[in-house]
Amino acid sequence: MDRVLLVDDEKEFTDVLSERMSSRGVEVDVAATGMEAIERIQKKSYDAIILDLVMPGMDGIETCRRLLEQNPDLQVILLSGHATVEKGVEATRLGALDFLEKPADLQKLMERIESAKARKMLLVQKRSEEKIRDILKSKGW
Amino acid sequence: MSDHLRRDVFEQALAFFGRMTALLSHEMKNALSVLNELGGLLGDLSLSAQRGRPIPAAQLDKIANGIQKQVQRCDAYIKRLHHFSHNTDSFRALVPLDAAVAEIVQLSQILAARKKVTLDVESHAPPQATVVDKVFFWQMAVYECICAALDNAQEGDTIAVRFANHPGPPFVRITGSRGIPETALEPYLPILSVLVGELNATLEQISGGEGKSAAALVIRSATA
């Protein structure tokens, strides 16, 4: 089962989107603010973080920056009502995986979540291999 | 007005118009996103029904209410956009100033909400309304003052915008709960000076804040 954290202050939007994603076999958690998202990733691992760009208080770009600072392996997909090229470039520079415009097509979003999951698995595998290599090197076997 | 200043005013007026319309279109996109998901949910339920799974009436009711709510929300934004746009194309039309102030406060509320700041509007107008022309400039001047107050505001603060037309000439007062320091006001002063000049008004900084901070900004019309 895919695990997704949906970060958006628009409750009606997160309610319906999480219901639709759950019916497609995705486990969805919701955070209404950037701070809440940061707290959630400390407690649980997610295959993808779907993050709204414009939120009260800490905005999507700042939240993305802080999330990736805490865990560079996180797969962040930014969602915005106005996906400007400028914001897209900024998000990509920060390390976001993708940038989608609202209203988003659920099929497309599900495909992006699958890519995020695959990329995360590759990163985890790479980290494990590096760890094993380090252990082998330090033990001199 | 020098050519340089004229160009500055022109650019900033366009920027103000652009910012307001972008704020509104962004909110409309949010409402459309909810509608998009509600439509998608209806599609999901229809597919389930075709496979013999009944749709609970309560769920359909909830979706219908959600659709109505978002349509009303979109309609309110479109009305605001329509009013605001007409203030630009009917630049010389006479418009009640209290309504124009209430409108720009409502639009600025979207911006304030992003900083988790509350904007309060109070109107103390007598039955005799004050009508003004160049309402776009009035709204821009009030907006610039709100921005100066917002720059110094923090989460949970309130900015009060008060319109009154008695005693004396009509005025709009913008009060930030943390005051409006000179540093916050400085970037807005050049355009504000031009705007109040165009409106035959004055900009007053009411002292009372700490240090070099103004407690409030008042745009006062020279004519009653």
Side-chain angles (χ1 to χ4, degrees):
Chain A
M1 187 183 248
D2 298 341
R3 281 202 293 202
V4 166
L5 176 63
L6 191 54
V7 192
D8 199 310
D9 62 305
E10 186 87 42
K11 195 183 176 302
E12 281 95 344
F13 177 71
T14 54
D15 279 354
V16 190
L17 184 57
S18 46
E19 187 177 343
R20 295 188 69 206
M21 286 166 86
S22 300
S23 72
R24 283 160 175 78
V26 180
E27 187 188 321
V28 186
D29 284 337
V30 174
T33 63
M35 278 314 291
E36 210 182 310
I38 291 165
E39 281 164 21
R40 283 200 177 260
I41 63 144
Q42 286 163 351
K43 292 176 194 152
K44 200 168 166 181
S45 163
Y46 294 97
D47 296 310
I49 318 280
I50 298 166
L51 181 61
D52 185 29
L53 191 67
V54 180
M55 290 185 292
M58 196 193 300
D59 70 4
I61 293 285
E62 179 60 15
T63 306
C64 180
R65 195 184 62 76
R66 291 212 202 171
L67 287 172
L68 291 167
E69 218 171 65
Q70 296 222 357
N71 182 356
D73 291 350
L74 286 176
Q75 304 299 307
V76 179
I77 300 167
L78 272 154
L79 263 188
S80 170
H82 287 288
T84 59
V85 175
E86 188 196 3
K87 289 287 174 193
V89 169
E90 200 177 344
T92 316
R93 243 186 232 150
L94 281 174
L97 174 70
D98 225 322
F99 196 71
L100 287 178
E101 191 170 347
K102 275 183 178 176
D105 175 53
L106 186 58
Q107 188 53 41
K108 240 184 224 170
L109 193 57
M110 294 297 291
E111 284 165 17
R112 301 298 210 277
I113 292 167
E114 283 309 312
S115 312
K117 192 181 178 182
R119 211 175 102 145
K120 195 190 163 196
M121 280 169 76
L122 269 177
L123 282 171
V124 170
Q125 198 182 337
K126 201 177 146 198
R127 297 254 186 278
S128 305
E129 283 170 8
E130 280 170 5
K131 219 173 182 180
I132 292 168
R133 215 175 297 134
D134 285 348
I135 293 169
L136 287 174
K137 224 187 256 175
S138 67
K139 300 289 176 193
W141 294 332
Chain B
M1 199 189 296
S2 72
D3 281 353
H4 179 73
L5 197 56
R6 196 186 299 273
R7 198 171 55 238
D8 262 10
V9 174
F10 179 70
E11 277 176 15
Q12 292 198 46
L14 263 182
F16 166 60
F17 185 80
R19 187 145 205 213
M20 289 297 114
T21 51
L23 280 175
L24 281 168
S25 66
H26 186 269
E27 291 305 307
M28 281 186 241
K29 274 266 203 172
N30 275 339
L32 284 174
S33 301
V34 181
L35 282 171
N36 182 53
E37 292 312 319
L38 288 167
L41 184 57
L42 273 179
D44 293 350
L45 290 172
S46 165
L47 273 178
S48 288
Q50 284 167 41
R51 289 181 199 131
R53 207 170 142 199
I55 307 172
Q59 197 169 9
L60 284 178
D61 267 355
K62 203 175 152 193
I63 296 171
N65 288 336
I67 291 171
Q68 274 177 339
K69 191 178 160 193
Q70 296 307 320
V71 168
Q72 282 163 7
R73 183 180 169 198
C74 256
D75 185 52
Y77 291 137
I78 290 167
K79 274 182 188 146
R80 280 179 212 167
L81 181 62
H82 180 83
H83 267 251
F84 181 68
S85 305
H86 274 316
N87 292 339
T88 320
D89 73 0
S90 311
F91 191 71
R92 297 274 172 188
L94 294 172
V95 173
L97 185 54
D98 58 334
V101 170
E103 187 181 275
I104 195 61
V105 171
Q106 225 173 22
L107 290 172
S108 307
Q109 227 135 25
I110 304 171
L111 204 63
R114 289 184 188 168
K115 275 195 92 172
K116 296 189 174 176
V117 170
T118 307
L119 277 185
D120 263 356
V121 64
E122 294 172 60
S123 185
H124 292 274
Q128 183 79 30
T130 298
V131 286
V132 292
D133 67 351
K134 300 182 185 176
V135 70
F136 179 77
F137 277 174
W138 269 103
Q139 289 189 319
M140 189 174 167
V142 173
Y143 170 78
E144 299 292 333
C145 293
I146 289 173
C147 283
L150 264 178
D151 283 353
N152 198 43
Q154 286 177 20
E155 194 176 317
D157 283 358
T158 298
I159 294 169
V161 182
R162 180 173 185 252
F163 166 78
N165 64 359
H166 67 99
F171 68 87
V172 184
R173 188 173 69 198
I174 298 95
T175 314
S177 45
R178 276 170 214 275
I180 304 163
E182 270 178 26
T183 47
L185 187 58
E186 209 175 349
Y188 302 95
L189 274 179
I191 188 71
L192 275 168
S193 315
V194 176
L195 290 171
V196 293
E198 284 291 318
L199 296 168
N200 194 21
T202 54
L203 177 73
E204 298 162 20
Q205 295 178 47
I206 308 294
S207 61
E210 282 172 27
K212 286 184 168 184
S213 192
L217 295 172
V218 179
I219 306 165
R220 195 183 300 276
S221 175
T223 48

